[in-house]
Amino acid sequence: MLRRWGAEEPLLAAGNLVEDIRLHDVGTGRELLHLDVRLLADEAARPGMLVLEQSETERLLLEAVRASGLAEVAFGTDVTGLHPRDDATEVRFDRDGTGGRLTAAYVVGCDGASSRVRDVLGLPFTGRTYRLRPLLADVTVADAARDGLPWPRLDDRADGLTVGIRLRPGLWRIIHLGASAVGEEVPDAEVQQRAEAVLGPGPVDIVWRSRFRIHRRSSPRFRQGRVLLAGDAAHVHSPVGGQGMNAGIQDAADLAWKLAGALRGGDAERLLEAYDVERREVVVGGVTRFTDLLTRVYLMVPGPVRRGAFAVQRTAMRSRRLHRAALRRFAMLDLRLPPSPLLGEERGAGRRLPDPLVRAPDGTVRRLHDLLPVGAALLTVTSSHASSAEEADLPVEAVVRIGPGGHQDGTGTLRSLLDGRDGWILVRPDGHVAWARTTDDGPTKLRLADAAAAALGLRGHPVGSGRRHAR
């Protein structure tokens, strides 16, 4: 997603891509957990965890937005009123003390956990607040010996866990996850204590510090008419597992193409209702449950139980199959979209399109996703040189041929989506499979053009039944 937005390279250049993650127990010197992200090299171009401060992430994404020329970013501006209508929404705002108003076809509330947009819509934010009071601090470390320690580093004590992550040379993020902290202020002495717990004795300079609460909450709807919610305005999670920001990025990628389709005359009702149905199921049914489980197992239990959980997971990771499964879950590669107004229940629908290496006719090897346009695409998987008249006049930006005369998929991954037969795979702009149809499905089914139009939200092409998509 970040590659498509032109933001991948700047982020990689600014951060530290860690491919082999080893969690070290400071107290015992043992390795608590090992995640070899390189095991995902067969389905990810650059498998790894990018370590980068949030402030840098935001700065680089802001630069990408401004460089696109597609948006005006207005800081110092507060929404003071929201008045949805059947045909548009009026937004009232205050910019540096001066009131203003604008009318928009659609409004997206991306305004965080305390979302004013959500409050104006009257939507609740239900869930729970964990009893943990995490502490975050960034500190600089001058001496090379401590700065060169292996990381992530974990110190497990009766009052909770302290974790140290090296953001870049000389700068460490200190995280304390416990229930014992009282008050919002974070004294220098407490930061020093937590830093020494993971880095050993010695001074540190405090860049900043904060104490906060963590929540598990979501809105019952991510859409109300022409107003939609995305990111923390729609859902917040425990930070354990690192899923929250990534889920918000997925919201944006999913909503972008559907809003574009609605603005270009597509079936806005189906497109935007599909956003609500699909994202709520993925977030509440997948991300929230996963992060809540990790929080309960690793943070809400006594130390001996926690260490037992680490031992069980460490043993499980010796199995390559279980190791890969855990990595795919952490990397959010196994999330599958549910049936919705755009997605039926047919073969392949809703799964992320695999990203194998494919060989072009000239011999060059590329990732499949790098061949795809920003918009929708059709993959023709064939064992013959013949082309199909069914592929003409398709509402997609590209048709990619896999087989004789086109690209070769030596892994057989794409053909496996078609149960080993010839056929077509429709790929949505968000990289998910809309459907996979074999040549054996027969001409009595919807023509490819009609089936593609239906799955992409073009007008007059409903998918499935209302009962199937009810929530």
Side-chain angles (χ1 to χ4, degrees), residues 19-265:
E19 299 174 327
D20 194 38
I21 303 168
R22 297 175 183 271
L23 184 60
H24 298 269
D25 185 338
V26 174
T28 65
R30 293 183 58 191
E31 184 180 288
L32 279 174
L33 193 61
H34 175 211
L35 294 173
D36 186 356
V37 194
R38 294 167 296 188
L39 291 176
L40 297 178
D42 61 337
E43 59 178 321
R46 284 167 165 157
M49 177 180 72
L50 185 65
V51 180
L52 184 64
E53 305 99 300
Q54 181 174 325
S55 58
E56 280 294 283
T57 300
E58 292 176 353
R59 179 182 67 82
L60 293 169
L61 289 177
L62 177 60
E63 287 182 2
V65 169
R66 286 174 165 163
S68 74
L70 298 174
E72 174 190 359
V73 181
F75 290 103
T77 305
D78 294 320
V79 172
T80 59
L82 197 65
H83 303 281
R85 306 197 305 258
D86 290 340
D87 60 341
T89 295
E90 181 183 278
V91 181
R92 296 183 181 179
F93 60 88
D94 180 276
R95 179 182 292 185
D96 297 326
T98 301
R101 68 176 64 187
L102 59 84
T103 300
Y106 300 98
V107 172
V108 185
C110 306
D111 47 342
S114 301
S115 171
R116 179 170 180 78
V117 172
R118 189 186 64 239
D119 289 345
V120 170
L121 294 176
L123 294 174
F125 207 40
T126 56
R128 62 170 293 186
T129 299
Y130 294 95
R131 68 173 185 269
L132 299 167
R133 297 299 308 277
L135 176 155
L136 282 185
D138 284 355
V139 302
T140 57
V141 181
D143 60 286
R146 286 196 300 160
D147 190 42
L149 290 169
W151 60 274
R153 303 179 63 75
L154 184 147
D155 181 61
D156 189 354
R157 303 189 184 185
D159 64 348
L161 291 172
T162 304
V163 181
I165 299 175
R166 189 173 186 256
L167 298 176
R168 60 174 184 266
L171 182 65
W172 285 72
R173 167 69 48 83
I174 305 299
I175 309 165
H176 178 70
L177 300 158
S180 59
V182 178
E184 301 299 326
E185 296 299 320
V186 184
D188 289 358
E190 184 178 355
V191 177
Q192 179 71 37
Q193 173 194 352
R194 302 303 181 191
E196 289 191 358
V198 290
L199 297 174
V204 297
D205 288 326
I206 302 170
V207 178
W208 69 274
R209 87 292 298 275
S210 177
R211 198 184 325 272
F212 59 98
R213 296 182 182 276
I214 59 176
H215 310 267
R216 184 198 71 196
R217 297 183 182 278
S218 63
S219 172
R221 295 190 300 280
F222 293 1
R223 176 214 175 194
Q224 190 157 297
R226 290 177 172 266
V227 183
L228 303 107
L229 301 175
D232 285 0
H235 49 80
V236 293
H237 320 273
S238 165
V240 181
Q243 310 275 286
M245 182 181 70
N246 290 331
I249 290 173
Q250 291 171 7
D251 288 350
D254 183 274
L255 182 55
W257 76 269
K258 290 170 179 169
L259 269 179
L263 290 168
R264 291 171 182 159

Side-chain angles (χ1 to χ4, degrees), residues 342-344 346-350 426-428 432-436 455-456:
L342 295 183
L343 283 173
E346 58 188 303
R347 182 191 296 109
L426 180 66
V427 186
R428 307 191 326 175
H432 286 269
V433 174
W435 45 251
L456 297 174

